[in-house]
Amino acid sequence: MSSSLRKIGLLIIGIIVLPVLIFSVFEIGNLRQNEKVIQNIYKNQLDAILYSINQYSDDIVSNLASRIENSLNNYKTDTVPELNRLINENLSAKCLIQFNNKLQFRLSVPASYADSTFLSEMVTILDSNNKTLLQLQKFMKEGYRKIEKISNNSSDTQWIVFITRADDQEIINVLVIDPQKFISQVLDPKIQEIAKGKFNIAAFRTGEDLPFYTSNKQFNPGKIDNKEPFWLLKNYQMGIELKDLTIADLAKDRIKRNLILVGLMDVILLLGAWLIFRNVTKQIELSQLKSDFVSSVSHEIRTPLALITMYIETLEMGRVKDNNKVKEYYSVILNETTRLSGIVNRILSFSQIESNKRKYCFSETDINEIVENAAITFRYSMETKGFIYSFKPDKNIPLIPVDREAIADAFVNLIDNAMKYSTEIKDIEVRTGISDKYVYVEVEDHGIGISEKNQKYIFDKFYRVTEMNLANRVKGSGLGLAIVKHIMDAHEGKISVRSSPGSGSTFRLSFPVKLLKQL
Ligand code: ADP
């Protein structure tokens, strides 16, 4: 048995435990890698959001450029007021200065900016950015207006250059804006819309840790890792963070969750493996008990049969003349036949129970009466074996709906056992009573008793106590108590035992009184 168990154990380890462990180690290894990939995906998503803000600022200036171009063409004589209106509309624009393609001053809106030092400084800077201007012109020729930032000497303003056309003339426009206002007033509505409670978006001057603008006023930025420069604003950056968690927190959270899941799955699978192993062990033990049962029952049947045959042969030969001896032989034959039919009945009764064929027929009965009637059948054999039997009935117990025959069987089983497992003190006492809403009948002997460990198993089918060679010394099938338990279950009752090795056992059958009302 132990070698087949070892084989099954190894098999379970091989097909469940090992793969589970390998899978878990592999999964845990993969988790970090997966999280890095996810972290990158998140980062790319955040970058895409920053990209869309840059795209939006480009659109705003492009749109303004188109409207400037339209006003140059549509309000030829009255361009300046229209341009003034456009510049005033844009909350961050300080002024618009226009030059022709030879960098000669054309106009300034508002006019107050057209002072000569400012203009000559602007021309010098534009001149030094000749390459950029050429590029803008090239794009314009190809039908596409590009917007470019140009550095100037003041950090409070940003120059943005683009080309417009009027009367087939190219005009170089320098839009001077306040970068902080551009972000916090012009871009703010768009940023708010994008952030929508999910992200914190902030704007910084390059080199500064604290932002001068945040999408959420309560936002207290730590160190934002995800930063991108503004395309149109030199020395300005924007940063983005998930609102409640950083990406690292998010990744940590996911790792934790996945680790818990892998752990949980391992526990479930290992528990499953353990359950399978336990089940198989039980089945193997049961088949071992069954084969023990077959050999012990064959032995039990063979012994009385041999005795019966021997005594009948002796009587048949007519050798026994003494009448007393003849009587004694007949009584042995009767005893052995009773024992034999007892064994056969028990096996039949058990097989009925196993196939769920046993039917019970309940009727309100006085348990004392069942005990008294049953005593008639075993009293003689008890006396001949030297037992002292006493019955202490409680006359006040209520009637209980039971299957009389089944309960008599159960009771006789307990009496049989009490006799089988008694040694020197051959006192058997039966009591009935009521306790805790249960009517009970109990059988007390002063026999060998049962250890606490074995008390747990004696109601299992085929189980026999093997300590001190008991199973061989006292004949039995290991079915009696299993049958009694089944009968008690069918009555919604209980069977219990109080026992200690060497000082005897008391088996109690308890029937719930409430059954009376139910039926
Ligand atoms: P068996 O045919 O072996 O008596 P049972 O199912 O009636 O089968 O009992 C199971 C085991 O419980 C017995 O083998 C015996 O070891 C133990 N047992 C039952 N009744 C008693 C008792 N009155 N005293 C001591 N041991 C008992």
Side-chain angles (χ1 to χ4, degrees):
M1 185 166 77
S2 67
S3 99
S4 38
L5 263 185
R6 206 177 311 124
K7 264 189 214 155
I8 290 164
L10 285 175
L11 204 69
I12 289 175
I13 290 177
I15 60 174
I16 302 182
V17 181
L18 267 184
V20 166
L21 291 181
I22 292 171
F23 170 76
S24 306
V25 170
F26 181 73
E27 258 310 278
I28 291 170
N30 262 353
L31 269 181
R32 289 211 167 268
Q33 226 168 331
N34 289 347
E35 291 318 320
K36 270 206 182 110
V37 173
I38 290 168
Q39 228 167 326
N40 272 341
I41 293 172
Y42 271 124
K43 191 177 172 334
N44 287 345
Q45 277 181 353
L46 295 186
D47 285 351
I49 293 173
L50 297 185
Y51 184 93
S52 76
I53 294 175
N54 264 328
Q55 190 76 55
Y56 179 74
S57 31
D58 235 29
D59 289 349
I60 283 184
V61 181
S62 290
N63 189 275
L64 182 64
S66 302
R67 290 168 74 192
I68 289 170
E69 191 171 71
N70 285 346
S71 63
L72 292 179
N73 291 314
N74 299 341
Y75 300 84
K76 278 188 189 144
T77 49
D78 210 11
T79 346
V80 175
E82 181 57 16
L83 289 179
N84 251 318
R85 197 180 64 77
L86 289 178
I87 295 305
N88 282 338
E89 237 177 46
N90 185 303
L91 300 171
S92 65
K94 283 177 172 291
C95 68
L96 172 74
I97 318 274
Q98 290 188 330
F99 301 90
N100 66 14
N101 57 0
K102 294 197 175 68
L103 284 181
Q104 286 162 338
F105 174 68
R106 189 167 178 275
L107 63 80
S108 160
V109 173
S112 54
Y113 272 84
D115 87 87
S116 56
T117 5
F118 180 61
L119 285 179
S120 68
E121 183 197 334
M122 188 172 272
V123 170
T124 320
I125 290 176
L126 285 177
D127 209 25
S128 66
N129 281 286
N130 192 28
K131 232 170 144 183
T132 312
L133 294 181
L134 285 174
Q135 230 177 9
L136 295 184
Q137 284 165 338
K138 189 175 154 242
F139 275 117
M140 201 64 201
K141 279 195 184 79
E142 286 165 8
Y144 169 68
R145 182 174 8 255
K146 202 168 173 336
I147 314 287
E148 272 297 350
K149 62 177 178 284
I150 279 193
S151 310
N152 65 86
N153 298 332
S154 153
S155 62
D156 296 334
T157 56
Q158 175 66 57
W159 295 359
I160 295 172
V161 196
F162 52 86
I163 310 273
T164 52
R165 274 172 184 280
D167 297 331
D168 278 345
Q169 293 290 308
E170 275 179 358
I171 297 167
I172 297 167
N173 293 257
V174 181
L175 180 67
V176 179
I177 61 163
D178 176 336
Q180 295 203 15
K181 275 191 182 167
F182 184 74
I183 293 166
S184 57
Q185 295 186 13
V186 179
L187 294 184
D188 179 62
K190 182 72 180 173
I191 291 178
Q192 294 294 346
E193 188 193 322
I194 290 173
K196 248 191 236 141
K198 279 190 185 166
F199 307 103
N200 287 318
I201 298 174
F204 305 79
R205 260 197 218 90
T206 309
E208 288 180 5
D209 280 340
L210 285 179
F212 63 86
Y213 164 86
T214 53
S215 58
N216 167 15
K217 299 292 167 262
Q218 278 94 51
F219 170 51
N220 182 15
K223 203 172 164 342
I224 296 189
D225 295 326
N226 240 40
K227 279 188 186 164
E228 285 291 322
F230 279 96
W231 294 344
L232 292 182
L233 309 174
K234 193 170 156 34
N235 295 331
Y236 284 88
Q237 286 182 308
M238 57 184 147
I240 186 166
E241 249 186 14
L242 286 164
K243 190 147 187 231
D244 300 319
L245 292 167
T246 63
I247 299 180
D249 287 341
L250 212 69
K252 248 187 244 159
D253 240 40
R254 283 179 56 95
I255 289 186
K256 211 162 96 188
R257 206 166 349 117
N258 288 346
L259 276 178
I260 291 175
L261 274 180
V262 170
L264 213 70
M265 202 192 64
D266 282 2
V267 169
I268 290 172
L269 282 172
L270 292 179
L271 207 75
W274 181 73
L275 279 178
I276 293 174
F277 183 73
R278 223 183 59 155
N279 230 304
V280 170
T281 313
K282 273 208 163 155
Q283 290 303 323
I284 290 178
E285 277 169 6
L286 197 65
S287 75
Q288 178 69 38
L289 285 175
K290 271 186 187 162
S291 83
D292 289 353
F293 163 79
V294 171
S295 70
S296 107
V297 163
S298 336
H299 184 76
E300 271 221 71
I301 292 176
R302 217 181 301 130
T303 318
L305 275 179
L307 277 174
I308 292 168
T309 320
M310 189 181 86
Y311 281 100
I312 289 183
E313 275 173 7
T314 319
L315 287 171
E316 204 191 15
M317 280 187 253
R319 282 205 203 127
V320 190
K321 304 288 180 216
D322 182 358
N323 261 352
N324 282 340
K325 268 270 177 251
V326 172
K327 255 189 174 173
E328 189 194 320
Y329 282 15
Y330 276 127
S331 103
V332 171
I333 292 169
L334 183 68
N335 257 344
E336 292 305 312
T337 321
T338 318
R339 194 149 83 92
L340 202 56
S341 63
I343 296 165
V344 173
N345 280 342
R346 202 164 297 171
I347 295 170
L348 284 179
S349 173
F350 177 73
S351 89
Q352 265 185 338
I353 285 172
E354 280 286 276
S355 55
N356 272 331
K357 278 192 190 136
R358 178 145 196 183
K359 297 278 172 279
Y360 294 92
C361 173
F362 295 90
S363 62
E364 283 185 15
T365 308
D366 180 3
I367 299 288
N368 291 330
E369 203 185 298
I370 294 186
V371 173
E372 273 155 11
N373 286 340
I376 301 170
T377 59
F378 58 72
R379 211 174 197 132
Y380 174 73
S381 105
M382 257 197 185
E383 277 166 9
T384 52
K385 285 176 185 154
F387 278 91
I388 300 170
Y389 172 76
S390 58
F391 176 37
K392 293 194 176 143
D394 177 346
K395 301 274 185 209
N396 297 321
I397 53 170
L399 299 183
I400 294 288
V402 295
D403 179 320
R404 285 166 208 248
E405 212 178 302
I407 296 306
D409 269 1
F411 172 64
V412 171
N413 245 307
L414 297 186
I415 295 284
D416 269 359
N417 280 350
M419 286 163 69
K420 275 201 297 189
Y421 300 106
S422 287
T423 45
E424 288 99 44
I425 310 176
K426 300 191 169 203
D427 274 359
I428 295 177
E429 187 175 307
V430 174
R431 292 179 289 267
T432 55
I434 181 157
S435 143
D436 224 3
K437 293 195 181 146
Y438 280 89
V439 165
Y440 66 83
V441 52
E442 62 184 14
V443 177
E444 180 178 2
D445 66 54
H446 301 277
I448 54 169
I450 309 161
S451 67
E452 220 169 289
K453 187 189 102 200
N454 281 313
Q455 286 175 27
K456 273 187 257 165
Y457 305 113
I458 52 174
F459 302 105
D460 292 351
K461 55 191 176 188
F462 307 126
Y463 189 84
R464 306 202 69 216
V465 174
T466 49
E467 278 154 18
M468 295 184 297
N469 200 23
L470 182 63
N472 285 330
R473 281 195 290 122
V474 184
K475 299 292 162 230
S477 57
L479 292 180
L481 290 179
I483 294 173
V484 177
K485 179 159 187 333
H486 185 275
I487 293 172
M488 290 314 289
D489 286 346
H491 285 76
E492 292 183 22
K494 295 186 288 195
I495 175 166
S496 53
V497 60
R498 299 191 306 276
S499 181
S500 63
S503 43
S505 318
T506 305
F507 282 85
R508 177 183 277 203
L509 307 179
S510 311
F511 305 86
V513 176
K514 66 173 180 161
L515 268 180
L516 251 179
K517 289 166 208 142
Q518 277 177 9
L519 293 182

